[in-house]
Amino acid sequence: MSEENFEPVIKPDEETNNDSAVEERKQDLNEIIETGSITTQGKYPIHCLTIIGQIEGHYILPPQNKTTKYEHVIPALVAIEQSPDIKGLVIILNTVGGDVEAGLAIAELISGIKKPTVSLVLGGGHSIGVPLAVSAKRSFIVPSASMTIHPVRMSGLVLGVPQTLSYFEKMQDRIIGFVTENSNITEEKFRQLMMNTGELVMDVGTVLDGKMAVESGLIDELGGISDAIECLYQMIEEEEKADDTNDN
C-alpha cells in the first residue's frame, strides 16, 4: 500500500479549532510580554497581574530597569473590573517600590475592585509595595519574602523649607492611613516599624520577613501560589452563592 493511504484526515472543524487554539496561545504570549499579565481559564477564569521591579511614575526610568508602568496597570484594572468573563484577580508582587503617588494610585484602584482579589508577595514587597500588597481583599506572603517599611523619601534637589517637610508628612499620613485601613496592623505599630532607627544601616525603618509580616498583622497569611488561588476560588464561590440568594 502507498503511504498516501495512511495520511491523517483532518476535518474542517478540527482545522478551525487548532487554528483558534494557536491564536489564543499567541495572544496569551503577547499579553505576557507586553503587560506581564494573563487571564487564565481554570476552575474559574481569573486574571493574574504582576507588579515587579520598580513602580514607574511620571518619569521614564532607564531601559535596563525592570519596571511596572502605572499607565499600563490602571486601564488593565478598569478592564478587569468591567469584564463579565473575569471572576477574580490575583496580584503577584516582587517590587523594590518606586513612585509613591503612582503606587498609591494603583493600590487605591485594587482596593476599590468589587470582585474577589488576593495578593501574593514573592521576593520583596518593599516601600510603596507595602500598600500594594495589602490592597487586595486577602493577602499572602511566602516565608522567604521580605517587606521594608520606611518613611517617605525623595532623591534629587529638595527645597529645605517647612512646606517640604509638611508635604512629606501629609504623604506619609496618606500611606499609613491606607495600610492600616486595609490590613490588621495598628497605626501605632506601623509608625513604630517605620521610624525604627536600630535596624537599617543607612536608613530609618524595618525589614520584615514573611512570618514577621503576618505576626504584625500587615499580611493575612503565609502561603504560596496554590494557597492564594484556592482562597480566590473560595471567595468567588461565596460571592456567587450570595448573588444566587439575592436573586431568589
Side-chain angles (χ1 to χ4, degrees), residues 45-101:
I46 63 174
H47 190 87
C48 173
L49 176 69
T50 57
I51 297 177
I52 60 173
Q54 195 164 349
I55 311 299
E56 188 177 87
H58 305 302
Y59 299 97
I60 298 175
L61 295 172
Q64 67 268 21
N65 288 34
K66 286 282 188 181
T67 62
T68 295
K69 301 179 184 294
Y70 81 119
E71 69 269 26
H72 291 173
V73 176
I74 288 175
L77 290 171
V78 174
I80 291 164
E81 174 69 358
Q82 289 294 303
S83 174
D85 298 326
I86 297 174
K87 300 300 182 182
L89 171 66
V90 57
I91 304 110
I92 308 295
L93 294 109
N94 186 7
T95 176
V96 296
D99 188 282
V100 173
E101 289 191 341

Side-chain angles (χ1 to χ4, degrees), residues 29-232:
L29 183 59
N30 289 334
E31 189 176 4
I32 293 172
I33 293 172
E34 293 178 8
T35 65
S37 63
I38 188 173
T39 300
T40 62
Q41 299 291 335
K43 184 177 180 181
Y44 296 100
I46 63 174
H47 190 87
C48 173
L49 176 69
T50 57
I51 297 177
I52 60 173
Q54 195 164 349
I55 311 299
E56 188 177 87
H58 305 302
Y59 299 97
I60 298 175
L61 295 172
Q64 67 268 21
N65 288 34
K66 286 282 188 181
T67 62
T68 295
K69 301 179 184 294
Y70 81 119
E71 69 269 26
H72 291 173
V73 176
I74 288 175
L77 290 171
V78 174
I80 291 164
E81 174 69 358
Q82 289 294 303
S83 174
D85 298 326
I86 297 174
K87 300 300 182 182
L89 171 66
V90 57
I91 304 110
I92 308 295
L93 294 109
N94 186 7
T95 176
V96 296
D99 188 282
V100 173
E101 289 191 341
L104 200 55
I106 295 171
E108 288 281 9
L109 270 180
I110 294 172
S111 68
I113 290 177
K114 290 183 178 180
K115 293 180 179 180
T117 56
V118 299
S119 64
L120 174 62
V121 180
L122 299 169
H126 306 295
S127 191
I128 199 61
V130 175
L132 287 165
V134 304
S135 61
K137 291 180 174 62
R138 195 75 181 169
S139 58
F140 290 79
I141 186 171
V142 296
S144 62
S146 62
M147 304 182 76
T148 304
I149 302 169
H150 62 72
V152 174
R153 301 174 301 189
M154 183 177 289
S155 60
L157 179 64
V158 178
L159 295 177
V161 294
Q163 290 88 339
T164 300
L165 299 177
S166 176
Y167 171 77
F168 281 175
E169 186 176 358
K170 289 177 180 177
M171 176 66 74
Q172 199 162 282
D173 288 341
R174 288 164 59 191
I175 294 171
I176 293 171
F178 181 87
V179 171
T180 53
E181 286 175 9
N182 290 275
S183 69
N184 294 316
I185 196 170
T186 63
E187 181 177 337
E188 181 182 2
K189 178 66 175 177
F190 192 74
R191 285 186 182 274
Q192 178 186 346
L193 295 172
M194 181 180 282
M195 299 300 179
N196 183 16
T197 58
E199 184 164 336
L200 301 179
V201 176
M202 300 295 290
D203 200 356
V204 177
T206 304
V207 179
L208 303 176
D209 61 21
K211 185 178 179 181
M212 294 168 62
V214 174
E215 290 175 349
S216 69
L218 187 62
I219 299 296
D220 294 321
E221 294 184 48
L222 277 175
I225 185 65
S226 60
D227 302 300
I229 291 178
E230 183 61 31
C231 177
L232 187 60

Side-chain angles (χ1 to χ4, degrees), residues 231-247:
C231 177
L232 187 60
Y233 284 165
Q234 290 176 4
M235 293 167 66
I236 293 170
E237 289 171 358
E238 290 172 3
E239 186 174 86
E240 288 186 342
K241 288 179 182 178
D243 290 341
D244 291 340
T245 302
N246 292 333
D247 291 339

